[in-house]
């Protein structure tokens, strides 16, 4: 089941395994309309590119898509370093190996994929050709750590310090990566019954749980969280001290009952985006939870269409 992928569900997608300079590969799936920007859809934890399976059919007739497997998450190789800049650069290498260096890019990232996107937006390297972004269900990593002053947030986000601990991979293997992942997925999904059913379609929980039973997936994803506790935070703190902020149009889409319950999302993000760049925060209500692209894909696709229509030229 872990080897099932997006091409299993949609044969129009092409699979790519791009060799990178570190010696590993980046796996991704693409669909090219022949024009317009490339929408780079990046997943989070504990998932894979499979999470975009409901959104892709709603977008592919109009938009070019590149859907990578996060390096270190079981289907792309574990990167030499797990910080968000290194991972983002590897994804761009994969994307440009498929589409070349001239195509513009709209970064659409959920959870960890959104955190990689945040790093890329602040770096804003011309050669990456990123022109706008949508970040799903996140606040900046540093703000997330600050929320641990709230005991309720510490309980809700207990996996952050746990996964960053050197002991985490061994403990998860003792529990069983399958059981650990299945329990987390069932805990975090939203309360909307329709959304929960959509999330579970196509044996998604089985797919993710089997993938995260692999020792290399456990090791790679824990390394991601460890970087998120150290290098990534240090970089963000330096950015804020030196006035480097997101300078590209950015839409933040979040679950009002999940992220919005612990953070004032609309108040937090303006501190991290320059006044010259448009920022729009959209809270999705009705009990849809963290896994928005799976729980309410039509709403997510509608917002992507709106944002790309405005900032995808």
């Amino acid at each position: 089941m872990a080897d099932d992928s997006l091409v299993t569900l949609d044969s129009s997608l092409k699979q790519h395994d791009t060799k990178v300079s570190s010696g590993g590969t980046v796996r991704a799936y693409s669909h090219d309309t022949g024009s317009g920007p490339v929408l780079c859809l990046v997943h989070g934890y504990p998932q894979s590119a499979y999470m975009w399976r409901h959104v892709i059919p709603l977008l592919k007739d109009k938009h070019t898509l590149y859907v990578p497997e996060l390096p270190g998450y079981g289907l792309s190789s574990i990167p030499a370093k797990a910080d968000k800049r290194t991972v983002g650069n590897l994804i761009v290498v994969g994307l440009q190996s498929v589409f070349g260096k001239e195509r513009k890019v709209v970064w659409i990232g959920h959870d960890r994929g959104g955190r990689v996107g945040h790093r890329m937006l602040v770096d804003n390297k011309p050669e990456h050709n990123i022109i706008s972004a949508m970040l799903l269900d996140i606040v900046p990593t540093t703000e997330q750590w600050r929320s641990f002053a709230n005991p309720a947030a510490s309980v809700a986000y207990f996996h952050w310090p746990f996964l960053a601990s050197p002991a985490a991979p061994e403990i998860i293997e003792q529990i069983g990566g399958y059981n650990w992942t299945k329990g987390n997925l069932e805990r975090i999904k939203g309360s909307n019954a329709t959304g929960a059913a959509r999330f579970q379609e196509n044996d998604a929980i089985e797919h993710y749980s089997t993938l995260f039973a692999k020792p290399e997936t456990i090791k790679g994803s824990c390394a991601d969280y460890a970087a998120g506790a150290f290098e990534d935070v240090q970089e963000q703190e330096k950015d804020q001290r030196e006035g480097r902020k997101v300078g590209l149009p950015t839409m933040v889409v979040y679950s009002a009952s999940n992220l919005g319950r612990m953070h004032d999302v609309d108040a937090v993000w303006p501190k991290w985006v320059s006044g010259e760049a448009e920022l729009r925060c959209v809270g999705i209500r009705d009990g849809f939870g963290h896994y928005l692209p799976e729980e309410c894909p039509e709403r997510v696709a509608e917002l992507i269409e709106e944002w790309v229509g405005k900032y995808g030229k």
Side-chain angles (χ1 to χ4, degrees):
M1 182 64 67
D3 291 330
D4 285 351
S5 68
L6 290 174
V7 294
T8 308
L9 301 178
D10 188 340
S11 60
S12 71
L13 297 174
K14 294 181 179 179
Q15 180 174 308
H16 310 273
D17 289 288
T18 302
K19 293 183 179 180
V20 293
S21 59
S22 59
T25 60
V26 174
R27 175 168 293 182
Y29 317 94
S30 72
H31 179 78
D32 192 357
T33 63
S35 63
V38 180
L39 310 191
C40 184
L41 310 178
V42 192
H43 69 87
Y45 179 91
Q47 297 186 287
S48 71
Y50 205 67
M51 73 162 297
W52 298 103
R53 67 194 180 281
H54 296 327
V55 172
I56 287 171
L58 302 173
L59 297 176
K60 70 176 186 177
D61 290 343
K62 296 180 182 178
H63 302 285
T64 293
L65 306 175
Y66 182 78
V67 192
E69 301 284 2
L70 266 178
Y73 275 58
L75 295 170
S76 293
S77 301
I78 295 177
K81 295 173 60 181
D83 64 280
K84 303 302 174 290
R85 178 177 289 121
T86 296
V87 171
N89 287 339
L90 290 173
I91 290 172
V92 170
V93 167
L95 185 152
Q96 292 184 343
S97 76
V98 176
F99 296 105
K101 297 183 178 181
E102 303 304 316
R103 294 285 286 274
K104 295 178 179 179
V105 176
V106 178
W107 192 285
I108 301 170
H110 175 264
D111 189 75
R112 311 306 286 183
R115 299 188 186 286
V116 177
H118 183 199
R119 178 71 264 160
M120 303 302 279
L121 293 172
V122 175
D123 287 352
N124 196 17
K125 293 184 177 180
E127 61 268 27
H128 290 166
N129 232 353
I130 298 172
I131 57 174
S132 63
M134 177 183 288
L135 309 179
L136 289 109
D137 220 43
I138 67 166
V139 293
T141 299
T142 300
E143 298 286 356
Q144 183 82 336
W145 284 114
R146 287 174 181 156
S147 74
F148 278 71
N150 174 0
S154 297
V155 172
Y157 302 133
F158 79 96
H159 62 290
W160 274 56
F162 170 65
L163 292 173
S165 165
E170 181 180 352
I171 293 172
I172 292 172
E173 288 195 44
Q174 290 175 350
I175 297 169
Y178 181 97
N179 295 329
W180 162 261
T181 303
K182 186 175 182 181
N184 275 291
L185 291 168
E186 292 178 345
R187 176 178 61 86
I188 298 173
K189 70 178 186 290
S191 60
N192 183 293
T194 301
R198 296 295 302 278
F199 170 67
Q200 295 179 68
E201 286 178 359
N202 310 111
D203 291 323
I205 291 178
E206 179 71 16
H207 170 84
Y208 300 135
S209 300
T210 302
L211 177 62
F212 277 78
K214 296 165 59 177
E216 60 265 37
T217 313
I218 296 170
K219 178 182 176 182
S221 57
C222 287
D224 170 21
Y225 275 83
F230 296 100
E231 301 100 300
D232 296 335
V233 171
Q234 292 161 8
E235 286 288 331
Q236 287 192 348
E237 290 174 342
K238 184 178 179 182
D239 289 336
Q240 289 292 86
R241 285 196 306 269
E242 299 178 2
R244 286 189 298 274
K245 301 177 185 290
V246 173
L248 296 169
T250 301
M251 177 184 282
V252 176
V253 181
Y254 65 95
S255 163
S257 60
N258 182 65
L259 192 71
R261 186 166 54 90
M262 295 294 176
H263 299 273
D264 186 346
V265 180
D266 297 63
V268 166
W269 269 105
K271 304 172 188 176
W272 295 80
V273 179
S274 72
E276 291 75 34
E278 181 175 350
L279 169 67
R280 182 181 171 197
C281 296
V282 180
I284 294 184
R285 303 187 182 278
D286 300 322
F288 293 110
H290 178 57
Y291 302 109
L292 296 170
E294 292 171 286
E295 296 184 40
C296 54
E298 290 80 11
R299 179 62 175 141
V300 169
E302 175 186 312
L303 290 167
I304 290 172
E305 292 270 17
E306 177 185 337
W307 200 244
V308 173
K310 189 173 184 180
Y311 292 113
K313 308 301 183 185

